[in-house]
Amino acid sequence: KMPVKLNQLISIEISTGKILQDRFSLLFDFKNEHGNSVIKAVTQHVCIDKQSHKTAVLPEEWVSMLAGRNSAE
């Protein structure tokens, strides 16, 4: 998008992306001091059972909390 300089003021908007049974994504929009988007990023988060190390269903309270955020689905 645009170059970012050392010591440049950046704000970060974070929103919820897709929410599936065992995973969700977070969307990041980095903006400069003028409000212009300079970097966009997505992170994927997968729920893993700590005993079996296999994917597990997201806890319902997580799904409710994530769905209540500003979703970008």
Side-chain angles (χ1 to χ4, degrees), residues 5-17:
K5 298 177 182 163
L6 183 64
N7 295 325
Q8 183 176 358
L9 181 63
I10 298 292
S11 64
I12 305 170
E13 293 180 5
I14 304 170
S15 59
T16 305

Side-chain angles (χ1 to χ4, degrees), residues 1 5 10 21-22 24 31 33 35 38 43-44 46 63 68 70 72:
K1 292 260 185 185
K5 298 177 182 163
I10 298 292
Q21 181 176 341
D22 62 350
F24 65 93
K31 297 186 176 197
E33 62 274 8
V38 293
T43 58
Q44 302 288 331
V46 179
V63 173
N70 52 335

Side-chain angles (χ1 to χ4, degrees), residues 28-59:
F28 298 84
D29 189 4
F30 295 74
K31 297 186 176 197
N32 65 17
E33 62 274 8
H34 304 293
N36 298 321
S37 182
V38 293
I39 301 169
K40 291 190 181 231
V42 177
T43 58
Q44 302 288 331
H45 304 266
V46 179
C47 187
I48 303 291
D49 181 277
K50 64 181 175 180
Q51 299 293 329
S52 68
H53 302 288
K54 295 185 181 194
T55 58
V57 175
L58 284 169

